[in-house]
């Protein structure tokens, strides 16, 4: 039995559900494992599990016709939803900081000490990720890997 391709409406619905699932699961894991050393690993594994499930379930059905050629855009849809989930989690982090004054003070102190010239920008970002459990560090790493992969692929072709 041949499976049909998803329509535009179904692809949009899948995109929204995938983004919401990643945001909700990553916020839950971040808050649950706030002080654990396994938080980053758990967040990364959660995002990878959701992405793999989506690819296995819908990977062959996300075909889009562009310029007369059918293309499988499942990886593009997954990576775009991951980027949107990261933006949403960063966007809702001020709500968390508004209700947690200790974390807000620590993030403010870290931001005051960050400088591009001294080279401690990565250390500062890591400190912010540790103090704001709403932001998924594993998702940030995955998005950076997707960007490196796409840029490398563009230069190799």
């Amino acid at each position: 039995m041949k499976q049909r391709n998803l329509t535009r409406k179904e692809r949009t619905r899948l995109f929204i559900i995938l983004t919401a699932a990643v945001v909700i699961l990553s916020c839950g894991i971040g808050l649950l494992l706030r002080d654990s050393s396994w938080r980053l690993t758990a967040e990364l594994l959660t995002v990878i599990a959701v992405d793999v499930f989506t690819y296995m379930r819908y990977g062959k059905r996300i075909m889009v016709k562009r310029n007369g050629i059918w293309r499988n855009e499942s990886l593009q849809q997954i990576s775009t939803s991951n980027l949107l989930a990261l933006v949403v989690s960063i966007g809702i982090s001020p709500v968390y900081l508004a209700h947690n004054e200790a974390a807000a003070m620590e993030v403010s102190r870290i931001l005051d000490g960050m400088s591009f010239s001294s080279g401690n920008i990565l250390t500062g970002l890591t400190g912010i990720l540790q103090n704001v459990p709403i932001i998924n560090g594993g998702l940030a790493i995955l998005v950076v890997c997707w960007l490196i992969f796409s840029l490398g692929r563009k230069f190799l072709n």
Side-chain angles (χ1 to χ4, degrees):
M1 181 175 173
K2 186 175 180 178
Q3 293 180 341
R4 65 173 178 78
N5 291 333
L6 296 178
T7 64
R8 177 179 286 193
K9 186 176 181 179
E10 291 170 332
R11 287 192 311 264
T12 303
R13 187 178 304 133
L14 176 65
F15 178 78
I16 292 169
I17 290 171
L18 181 60
T19 302
V22 169
V23 169
I24 291 168
L25 288 173
S26 65
C27 287
I29 293 216
L31 292 171
L32 185 67
L33 300 175
R34 184 179 315 176
D35 297 324
S36 175
S37 62
W38 289 95
R39 182 178 140 209
L40 181 68
T41 305
E43 290 171 342
L44 183 63
L45 290 176
T46 302
V47 173
I48 290 173
V50 170
D51 291 348
V52 166
F53 174 76
T54 303
Y55 184 76
M56 296 298 282
R57 178 86 169 102
Y58 298 103
K60 304 274 191 239
R61 297 177 55 197
I62 304 177
M63 300 292 285
V64 178
K65 191 172 188 177
R66 303 231 191 253
N67 299 329
I69 300 172
W70 285 95
R71 295 177 182 217
N72 185 353
E73 293 194 355
S74 58
L75 293 178
Q76 181 179 356
Q77 184 168 14
I78 289 170
S79 63
T80 307
S81 70
N82 285 343
L83 180 62
L84 181 61
L86 181 63
V87 169
V88 168
S89 67
I90 290 171
I92 63 174
S93 64
V95 174
Y96 173 79
L97 291 174
H99 293 291
N100 190 341
E101 291 183 20
M105 294 290 284
E106 184 64 24
V107 168
S108 176
R109 187 191 64 76
I110 290 171
L111 286 173
D112 288 341
M114 284 175 55
S115 172
F116 287 104
S117 61
S118 65
N120 65 353
I121 189 80
L122 191 60
T123 306
L125 290 175
T126 306
I128 290 172
L129 286 175
Q130 289 174 350
N131 287 302
V132 184
I134 301 296
I135 300 174
N136 186 339
L139 183 58
I141 292 171
L142 195 63
V143 167
V144 168
C145 289
W146 277 107
L147 289 173
I148 291 171
F149 175 74
S150 65
L151 290 175
R153 187 173 174 195
K154 184 176 181 178
F155 288 126
L156 290 176
N157 287 336

